Amino acid sequence: MAEIYIYWISTALLSLLYLISAATYVVKRSWVRQTILGFGYPDYLVPILIVVKLLAVAVLLSRVSVGLSDLAYAGMLYHLLLSALAHVGVRKPAAALPALLGLTLLGASFLTQNAARQTLSPYVHAWATHQITLAEWR
């Protein structure tokens, strides 16, 4: 029962983090563009990230397809890792805290999703029981 609460709380907070981030990208567009350019990324990524963040939240919450949901988790993992590393790379490690919080919430949501959802993800079980080794992930 605790896993179900952990799943829904972590998923809700992760979704809120992504929705606030997407809203910030819309409202403070010029500031976000400057920040993205400061990381060395092209500014055309801003509208793409807005759409992708909104779609990721929609896919996680609706769970239209388990495969699509797992793909959203993977995309969020890479996005949050790259975000944290970009902030550290420009010597602003404190700005990486939201991404690190997001990674924590993402891990909790991913690992507890099978307790709360009827359609199970095969990757959670394999990862939790160590049936997938790091060599197989490469």
Side-chain angles (χ1 to χ4, degrees), residues 32-123:
V32 171
R33 283 182 190 262
Q34 288 305 116
T35 303
I36 294 281
L37 289 170
F39 293 147
Y41 297 127
D43 64 346
Y44 65 78
L45 287 178
V46 174
I48 295 170
L49 285 171
I50 293 168
V51 171
V52 169
K53 287 179 181 205
L54 295 174
L55 287 175
V57 170
V59 166
L60 280 188
L61 294 178
S62 70
R63 188 111 174 207
V64 175
S65 156
V66 174
L68 197 56
S69 176
D70 285 341
L71 185 62
Y73 277 118
M76 291 170 107
L77 172 69
Y78 287 118
H79 167 258
L80 291 167
L81 282 173
L82 290 173
S83 175
L85 291 174
H87 284 63
V88 170
V90 295
R91 304 198 192 300
K92 294 183 181 176
L97 290 178
L100 296 175
L101 172 65
L103 284 168
T104 304
L105 294 170
L106 180 79
S109 175
F110 178 77
L111 291 174
T112 58
Q113 67 177 310
N114 282 352
R117 299 291 193 150
Q118 287 186 350
T119 310
L120 305 181
S121 169
Y123 299 107

Side-chain angles (χ1 to χ4, degrees), residues 118-131:
Q118 287 186 350
T119 310
L120 305 181
S121 169
Y123 299 107
V124 175
H125 178 71
W127 182 260
T129 60
H130 304 292
Q131 292 175 1

